[in-house]
Amino acid sequence: MSTARPKITTATLRTMKAQRERITALTAYDHLFAGLLDRAGIDVILVGDSVATVMQGRDTTVPVTMDQMVYHCELVGRAVQRAMVIGDMPFLSYQVSIEDALRNAGRLLKEGLAEAVKLEGGAAFAPTVQRLTDAGIPVMGHLGLTPQSIHQFGSYKARGQEVAEQQRILDDAKCLQQAGAFALVVEKVPADLGKKLASTVEIPVIGIGAGPDVDGQILVTHDMLGLFTRFRPRFARRYLELAKDIGTAVQSYCQDVRGGSFPNAEESY
Ligand code: KIV
């Protein structure tokens, strides 16, 4: 009997929700991190457009390009054996036309080795979700705070604080489910709304700052490792302080080189 752990698919995620087993998800942008996360047992790896802020030093996720997302997806895709790899559709790769969306989503699967794509937005994108799904491309929706719309919102504050907006988010979730989305990410909304969303739709709801009563959680890996420190969302629990540790390690190395204690005899040929 094989002891290998089965590959995570859209069907696995549906079953996990049905069995009330919480889904774990993190971001990765490169081969090294993707392999580490996969071997540690993460269920879902998102190649997020957060690569723009985390790795490219941009202020927002808006500038990252389709070619760059394909590049990062492929690095991740080659490293992963068990987790499901989802590629983020960058700004303007799916908003102009459904044909564009199909071609670009297809690139993330064909060239980027992703197994699904994620796109931001609600009911307005239901026809796009439907078309991609019909073409055999699984789509994850993204509601609540949608960072690609930062210039429209003007801030990264929590969404769904008022009844009308909560209702809109619930309606959007139902609409995306109806269009064929296999899962949703819901970002920075009140915990009550997260809970309501997860009990309203049958597809898995993965929260990021959406409270504990959703079907799974996702964080930006570089946030939870304390590697990315430019800003710190309240929802991003830190499991390590790697930025500090790296600083300390580099200082020690500099000290050793400058003092002549590195390399020693064992480190020399
Ligand atoms: O790009 C990203 O990392 C994301 C997560 C925050 C869900 O969309």
Side-chain angles (χ1 to χ4, degrees), residues 28-38 45 221-222 225 227 242:
Y29 318 111
D30 62 62
H31 195 270
L32 176 68
F33 268 78
L36 289 169
L37 303 185
D38 191 44
I45 296 181
T221 298
H222 295 65
L225 296 180
L227 254 182
L242 281 188

Side-chain angles (χ1 to χ4, degrees), residues 27 29 46-51 61 88 118 120 142 147 185 187 208 218 220:
T27 57
Y29 318 111
L46 172 70
V47 186
D49 62 356
S50 50
V51 68
T61 57
D88 225 351
K118 174 169 84 58
E120 297 182 5
H142 184 152
V185 160
E187 183 165 353
I208 173 161
I218 183 163
V220 169

Side-chain angles (χ1 to χ4, degrees), residues 75-93:
L75 299 181
V76 169
R78 270 191 296 109
V80 173
Q81 291 184 351
R82 175 182 170 270
M84 179 171 190
V85 176
I86 303 178
D88 225 351
M89 299 282 287
F91 180 64
L92 232 54
S93 68

